[in-house]
Amino acid sequence: MQIVRTTRELRAALGARHDAAFVPTMGNLHEGHLSLMRRGKAAGQPLVASIFVNRLQFAPHEDFASYPRTFEVDCEKLRTVGCDLLFAPDERELYPVEQTFRVRTPHGLGDILEGEFRPGFFEGVATVVLKLFGCVQPAVAVFGKKDYQQLMVVRRMVEQFNLPISIVPGETMREADGLAMSSRNGYLDPGERAEAPALARALQALAQHAAGDGSPPALADAQHEAMATLRARGWKPDYLEVRRRIDLAPPRAADLANPGTLVALGAARLGTTRLIDNLEF
Ligand code: PAF
């Protein structure tokens, strides 16, 4: 695996090739990331990964400074999945001047769910992803369904800017007890780690309710109940909601009668760690 730190080195390594499969990450890689790498490897050649902790997508009170940076171990893991090229720029390389041009995400997508509780998050994500796409110029890019709304933001951005990149979704990887794999799981203490799968269970229960009683008022009750269940267990939930997969809008009665078109999404804080998860149904 070749490791490059600058866009110039990256372009030199890729030459005239524009057929790469690309998996952007912020490092601290786990099996979920590696499954995205395998997905990328199957979709295009060469496989290019990036590691860059993107300041623009963190609010001032969030964990940018403490976000785990595990570069050497990440490189070892990337070698095991046959990653060909790693782009690991520093901030001066990717943001040599203040990033005053930004991607403004649309109302009704960038400011709901995660965007409501993390204002500016998707603007930061979309901006760095657009920059990384410009550097790597891949044919294919893989984004995990674990960050469901992020995947949709990137898909819409690629469509609306006519970027010649096919966006491939990667399935969420789970621990044996159902907890979705995430770099932030490492923040959990042993008691919190034992409790953490309750978020996935709450989403399963919510999906079952929604599939069983297809009326918007019953769904609103089920969402409140799911939040109350987590609160009673010591969580601080931001949202647990059923949305349409197609546009993340709240489902109407006709949508609720249409299995296979919905997704339950949740975000909740356990101690100081904020976890997100989702379940398609
Ligand atoms: O999902 C992530 O790790 C990040 O949001 C991404 C896509 C690498 C952009 O910084």
Side-chain angles (χ1 to χ4, degrees):
M1 180 177 75
Q2 189 180 351
I3 301 173
V4 292
R5 298 282 185 177
T6 66
T7 310
R8 184 186 288 259
E9 288 173 305
L10 173 69
R11 293 307 328 151
L14 287 169
R17 296 187 72 159
H18 295 283
D19 51 354
F22 176 44
V23 185
T25 81
M26 297 204 299
N28 195 229
L29 304 181
H30 49 70
E31 192 49 40
H33 293 109
L34 300 186
S35 79
L36 302 183
M37 301 292 162
R38 291 188 194 99
R39 191 78 188 78
K41 193 90 186 158
Q45 287 287 338
L47 175 63
V48 182
S50 65
I51 295 180
F52 180 70
V53 184
N54 173 38
R55 185 188 292 274
L56 292 191
Q57 69 192 73
F58 289 81
H61 65 278
E62 291 183 339
D63 54 344
F64 173 75
S66 59
Y67 196 84
R69 287 153 173 92
T70 52
F71 188 73
E72 297 305 328
V73 181
D74 291 344
C75 289
E76 281 312 308
K77 291 181 178 170
L78 288 173
R79 286 190 187 100
T80 66
V81 290
C83 179
D84 299 297
L85 185 57
L86 170 61
F87 179 42
D90 65 13
E91 283 201 292
R92 270 171 310 167
E93 175 64 20
L94 215 55
Y95 298 128
V97 295
E98 188 189 346
Q99 186 66 34
T100 48
F101 281 81
R102 303 283 179 102
V103 177
R104 184 163 57 82
T105 56
H107 176 59
L109 177 60
D111 57 357
I112 60 168
L113 303 168
E114 281 301 281
E116 181 184 340
F117 289 91
R118 301 185 69 188
F121 171 67
F122 288 116
E123 177 179 305
V125 168
T127 301
V128 80
V129 168
L130 186 63
K131 285 188 74 122
L132 290 167
F133 282 172
C135 298
V136 179
Q137 298 170 29
V140 174
V142 187
F143 288 81
K145 285 190 189 176
K146 159 79 171 32
D147 296 295
Y148 204 87
Q149 194 176 358
Q150 168 174 282
L151 169 62
M152 182 163 293
V153 165
V154 171
R155 274 191 160 137
R156 296 284 172 268
M157 177 177 78
V158 163
E159 282 163 17
Q160 291 201 9
F161 285 121
N162 301 85
L163 304 179
I165 302 170
S166 131
I167 302 300
V168 172
E171 294 301 325
T172 301
M173 299 295 285
R174 295 184 181 277
E175 305 289 354
D177 59 7
L179 175 65
M181 290 186 188
S182 163
S183 298
R184 290 191 168 99
N185 293 350
Y187 296 154
L188 300 168
D189 70 27
E192 291 166 346
R193 173 62 192 83
E195 171 60 20
L199 177 58
R201 289 199 301 271
L203 291 171
Q204 273 161 13
L206 177 57
Q208 266 162 17
H209 264 92
D213 181 349
S215 74
L219 177 60
D221 288 347
Q223 290 173 171
H224 285 132
E225 196 181 309
M227 302 261 285
T229 304
L230 283 187
R231 263 190 216 105
R233 300 179 67 96
W235 295 68
K236 290 196 180 73
D238 284 342
Y239 60 87
L240 277 93
E241 297 201 14
V242 171
R243 295 293 175 110
R244 306 189 323 181
R245 286 191 211 177
I246 185 112
D247 56 5
L248 295 184
R252 294 173 298 222
D255 301 312
L256 289 167
N258 216 351
T261 64
L262 301 170
V263 57
L265 304 112
R269 205 172 289 278
L270 187 55
T272 55
T273 307
R274 187 172 181 277
L275 298 177
I276 65 169
D277 198 357
N278 65 80
L279 181 71
E280 290 181 313
F281 66 102

